[in-house]
Structure formats: C-alpha cells, structure tokens
Amino acid sequence: MPRIAVLIVAAGKGERAGTELPKQYERLAGKPMLRRTVEAFAGYPVQVVIGAGQQELAAAALAGLDVPDPVTGGATRQESVRLGLHALGRDAPDFVLIHDAARPLVSRKVIADVVAALEAGADGALPMVAASDTLRRAGDNGQWTLVSRENLYRAQTPQGFGYAKITRAHHDHAGSEVTDDVALAELAGLKVQMVQGEEKNIKVTRKEDFAMAETLIGSDVRTASGYDVHKFKDGDHIWLCGLKIPHTHGLEGHSDADVGLHAITDALLGCIGEGDIGQHFPPTDERWRGAASWKFLEHAANLVAVKGGVISHVDVTIICERPKVGPHRDAMKAKIAEILKIEESRVSVKATTTEGLGFTGRREGIAAQAIATVRL
Ligand code: CTP
Ligand code: MG
C-alpha cells in the first residue's frame, strides 16, 4: 500500500474575503473552515501549513483533531507548499495530496479519484471541471472579447503527486510564479492526469462565497430527548429551570434537583452521543453535592460547542400539579437562554399536569422531559 500524506495550505491572509479573521479560521455553518477541510480528509495523515502568528487561531480551529502541530508557511502559496513538503520529508510519504484550506467541500469521491490516478501510475493528478458559462475577457476601452469556452477547464485541489517528484519540482522551479502545483509539475516535465472535479468543491474566496458554501454544506441536524424525575421532600422551595421557586415542599437530589435543567442537559448530551448527566456528574461524587444545575447544563453546551455544534433549539415540558409554572415561564426561558448563550426564541418552556393521575398527579414529585436540536 502506498503511503499517502495530505498537505493543507492555510497560510493565506484571505484578503479578498475581507472577513474579520483570515477566512480559513472563520466559522462556516458553525465550524472553522479549516476544521471542516481537515475533517474532509479523515483517515489520512494531514499536515497543516499556517501563517506566522496564526498559531492560536489554528490551535482553536483544530482542537481535538488528530493532527500534528501546524508548520509555518510563507508569503506565497507556492512558498507555503514548499515549506509543508519539507516538513513532510521527515517521514516522506509515497504520494502527497496538496489541498487548499479554502476548499472545505471536497468530497471523498474526488479524493479517491486523485489517489486512484496516482496508484495507476500518473506523476500527478488534477481535478478539473469544464467551464460552463460563456466567457469574455475584459479589454481596454470597456471592450469585452468573447473567449470560446470550448476545451476550457477550471483547476481545483487536491492535486496529487509522487512526493519526491513534486518536492524536486518545487525546489528546481522555486523562482517561477505559478498559482498551483500542477503548473510547477508541468514545468518539471511531469505527466499529470485529469480527474473529474466537482462544482461543489468551491474555493471560498469572497465574502459571498460563505453563504454559498453554507448552503452546499447543508446541515447535520441532531435531535435527542432527556427525561428526569425528582421526589418531593420537606422544604420551602425548589429549583426549577434555573429559578428558585417558593413551594410547600423541596425536591430530593444529590445536586439542587432541578429536573428541568437535568432533562435539557441529557437532551444536549444525547445530540452529541456523550452519554448522560450521571456519567459526567456522578451522584457518588462529593463535588456535586448541592451543586447548581446550571453548571451541568453549561458543561453540556460547552461539549456541543467543542464538537463544532450549534444549539438550534431546546424545548422542555415540566410535568407537575404544583407549583404553577405559568407565572415563571418567561423568567425560565430567559435563564435557560442565558446559560446556553442562545437567543430566547430558541428556548421553549411548557408545563402540564397529569390530571391527578400517576406519581405527578399524587404530588409525589416533578418530572421533566426535553428535546434538544443541534446543528453540527
Ligand atoms: N495560502 C497559503 N500561503 C499563502 C497564500 C495562500 O497557504 N502565502 C493558502 C490559503 O490559505 C488558501 C490557499 O492557499 O487555503 C488558496 O489561496 P487563496 O484562496 O488565494 O487564499 P488567500 O491567499 O488567503 O486569499 P487572498 O488571495 O484573497 O488573500
Ligand atoms: Mg491568495
């Protein structure tokens, strides 16, 4: 099996995009673009090349991913690639796929086709798409000259090469200014094979490309439920959805026994496959005795954020005869939104009695069920 490495160049300034951060660190549908691009190559060893001074941005974008520390690139893309190739030389692969961080939508098929062309013996492989618009070249005096689009193609990345061959080409032709690696490979006389690219493999270049990329990404929407019950005990108040509410009884529990927040916490953990509240905050752990449950909820929200998730919505139903939830509903919504750092319109608090039936009907305790929706 040939050894394949992926070089992702992310050392640009993203001047044309004009975003607050260099474009590769801006969030795209909730996740830094660079993270999406690296994740697109899951299963391949990836080396990222970043700009000087971008270490912190890169560390945040790549947190938790199994990639080595990024290496520092140069003033041009070509220079960044050359430095990245040099770093890979410590454990040189057979093939290298060179890819723009600005193309987060690359598909498994394009990657596999590039690899297959290399395995079949090509020196290099280049994904391209045929030009489909009518093309004109801007001239002096406001003239626009028709350019035949016949036989015109747009080059994309990843561009794949034999590692030793492209490294030599970068070394031998370091002075020539070209915009991609295939152009250098050709200067070095390498045989490059075209493979089919994809329209959706866009290079995010201008600000408006972000909206297009987000549309193309669509979303991985997860929903999960959570359920909790606590029993009444003697007392004069309960904690419910983050509020202290005077009541004829208290609620039994290791923490503050806030059923509403516990149900929402479990729903959020469910969306990211992270077990349940008991796993994260064991009732046997003294640290959580009497703990305020907003800490549990905040922890779950942080875990969602670390995975690049965005909370779209949480909905909780409190099931009890008493206390009446209605008078507290707006304050509960505001509290939950504050803990989750989302807009109040993304929080719903409902309540019902069980018409005197069952344990809630007998006023033995309070139950809560929640549904959370997370976009990853
Ligand atoms: N790139 C790089 N090193 C550079 C310049 C560019 O690694 N000195 C990377 C970019 O980060 C990007 C890819 O090369 O992933 C393609 O370049 P481009 O889309 O032009 O990005 P920028 O150069 O950042 O954008 P701009 O040209 O608008 O400033
Ligand atoms: Mg550029």
Side-chain angles (χ1 to χ4, degrees):
M1 279 273 283
R3 292 177 55 240
I4 301 166
V6 178
L7 193 61
I8 294 182
V9 283
K13 295 201 169 79
E15 272 162 1
R16 283 170 291 175
T19 41
E20 198 178 320
L21 303 173
K23 63 185 178 184
Q24 60 274 30
Y25 303 110
E26 286 285 343
R27 284 182 182 264
L28 197 57
K31 266 191 220 189
M33 188 191 313
L34 174 60
R35 187 178 188 88
R36 289 194 176 275
T37 309
V38 171
E39 286 179 351
F41 288 90
Y44 292 93
V46 170
Q47 175 65 61
V48 176
V49 183
I50 60 169
Q54 296 178 351
Q55 284 80 356
E56 272 179 29
L57 286 170
L62 300 171
L65 297 182
D66 183 20
V67 288
D69 284 343
V71 296
T72 305
T76 61
R77 182 186 183 282
Q78 195 174 330
E79 184 71 1
S80 296
V81 172
R82 195 177 62 73
L83 291 162
L85 289 171
H86 180 74
L88 286 178
R90 282 181 293 229
D91 183 21
D94 299 303
F95 299 137
V96 59
L97 309 186
I98 304 172
H99 187 68
D100 294 330
R103 293 187 192 269
L105 282 149
V106 59
S107 70
R108 299 304 286 191
K109 178 166 193 310
V110 169
I111 296 168
D113 287 353
V114 168
V115 170
L118 296 173
E119 286 177 343
D123 294 332
L126 166 67
M128 294 209 285
V129 288
S132 50
D133 295 325
T134 293
L135 303 172
R136 285 181 184 268
R137 175 174 289 121
D140 303 331
N141 322 321
Q143 284 178 343
W144 294 90
T145 316
L146 187 66
V147 178
S148 168
R149 71 166 174 246
E150 213 179 325
N151 301 326
L152 280 187
Y153 286 80
R154 291 182 285 131
Q156 302 185 332
T157 71
Q159 300 182 354
F161 306 92
Y163 173 79
K165 290 173 183 165
I166 194 66
T167 303
R168 193 168 324 116
H170 266 274
H171 182 263
D172 293 349
H173 299 274
S176 26
E177 278 183 30
V178 290
T179 55
D180 71 0
D181 302 287
V182 161
L184 270 185
E186 285 167 344
L187 287 176
L190 301 181
K191 187 171 59 61
V192 176
Q193 192 190 314
M194 179 209 162
V195 305
Q196 185 60 51
E198 288 180 352
E199 286 293 342
K200 81 171 196 40
N201 184 19
I202 61 170
K203 180 154 77 74
V204 177
T205 304
R206 297 182 182 78
K207 212 166 216 162
E208 59 267 29
D209 296 339
F210 277 79
M212 168 70 90
E214 289 192 333
T215 304
L216 290 168
I217 287 166
S219 58
D220 176 358
V221 174
R222 313 273 185 93
T223 59
S225 68
Y227 179 71
D228 195 34
V229 173
H230 282 273
K231 197 163 125 182
F232 281 124
K233 64 170 187 185
D234 289 343
D236 60 4
H237 70 274
I238 60 168
W239 283 93
L240 198 53
C241 293
L243 302 186
K244 186 176 179 179
I245 297 174
H247 191 50
T248 53
H249 291 80
L251 284 173
E252 244 177 63
H254 182 64
S255 66
D256 65 9
D258 188 328
V259 283
L261 296 191
H262 293 180
I264 301 171
T265 302
D266 263 355
L268 285 175
L269 293 173
C271 287
I272 51 171
E274 279 288 341
D276 61 27
I277 195 169
Q279 267 174 278
H280 293 265
F281 303 99
T284 48
D285 190 330
E286 278 307 307
R287 273 184 301 165
W288 312 124
R289 178 174 298 282
S293 295
W294 62 262
K295 290 184 188 161
F296 305 159
L297 185 58
E298 187 183 65
H299 175 76
N302 287 342
L303 287 178
V304 169
V306 164
K307 296 212 168 188
V310 173
I311 301 167
S312 302
H313 188 244
V314 295
D315 174 70
V316 62
T317 302
I318 310 295
I319 305 160
C320 60
E321 302 291 325
R322 286 287 182 277
K324 278 191 183 303
V325 171
H328 305 288
R329 188 198 310 266
D330 290 345
M332 288 174 171
K333 270 182 68 147
K335 192 67 182 174
I336 294 165
E338 181 193 328
I339 298 165
L340 296 175
K341 301 186 183 69
I342 60 178
E343 301 131 63
E344 278 183 45
S345 62
R346 296 182 180 276
V347 178
S348 150
V349 175
K350 312 202 295 307
T352 183
T353 68
T354 48
E355 303 281 342
L357 301 175
F359 71 86
T360 50
R362 291 188 299 271
R363 305 184 185 203
E364 291 164 5
I366 300 187
Q369 56 190 36
I371 291 186
T373 306
V374 163
R375 201 183 68 196
L376 282 169

